[in-house]
């Protein structure tokens, strides 16, 4: 359903004659409106069960207990993710300079 609707919205906005800078904004607007409508409908139509509300009243300090037991794995995961982002995205800025050194490379004109 969703991918087909996205293709249809893109197609109709593309053939409508709008400039390209408005086509992508229109696609984003349609997606945002549908997501907001789904969020509003979900908020208005769902209710918590009696068991959930009873358990939520009894659960005190669960977030504190969670972080007390899992702070090391969470910190380790966050640091590894940070280092991965530095390596993956931070070093990409030098790709053109590295690959342009090869005269037959794809970046020779950059």
């Amino acid at each position: 359903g969703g991918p087909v609707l996205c293709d249809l919205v893109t197609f109709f906005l593309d053939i409508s004659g709008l400039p390209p800078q408005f086509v992508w904004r229109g696609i984003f607007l349609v997606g945002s409106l549908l997501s907001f409508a789904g969020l509003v409908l979900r908020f208005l139509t769902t209710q918590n069960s009696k068991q959930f509300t009873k358990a939520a009243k009894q659960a005190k300090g669960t977030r504190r207990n969670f972080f007390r037991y899992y702070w090391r794995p969470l910190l380790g995961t966050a640091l590894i993710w940070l280092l991965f982002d530095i390596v993956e995205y931070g070093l990409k800025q030098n790709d053109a300079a590295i690959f342009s050194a090869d005269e037959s490379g794809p970046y020779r004109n950059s």
Side-chain angles (χ1 to χ4, degrees), residues 6-106:
C6 180
D7 292 339
L8 287 173
V9 168
T10 304
F11 176 73
F12 286 123
L13 286 175
D14 195 26
I15 65 170
S16 69
L18 287 172
Q21 64 264 23
F22 294 121
V23 170
W24 74 266
R25 288 182 176 121
I27 295 167
F28 192 79
L29 176 68
V30 170
S32 299
L33 291 175
L34 290 174
S35 298
F36 183 71
L39 182 67
V40 168
L41 289 174
R42 183 175 176 97
F43 180 74
L44 294 176
T45 60
T46 58
Q47 295 178 350
N48 293 331
S49 67
K50 292 178 184 177
Q51 289 178 328
F52 178 80
T53 53
K54 183 178 177 183
K57 289 178 183 177
Q58 292 175 351
K60 296 293 181 193
T62 55
R63 187 173 295 152
R64 184 176 299 133
N65 289 339
F66 177 80
F67 282 114
R68 183 182 317 152
Y69 293 114
Y70 295 110
W71 72 271
R72 285 186 184 107
L74 287 172
L75 182 64
T77 303
L79 289 175
I80 292 297
W81 199 334
L82 173 71
L83 292 174
F84 176 77
D85 283 347
I86 290 171
V87 169
E88 184 67 21
Y89 302 113
L91 298 178
K92 296 264 187 210
Q93 61 188 348
N94 297 323
D95 281 355
I98 293 169
F99 291 121
S100 67
D102 182 17
E103 294 299 322
S104 63

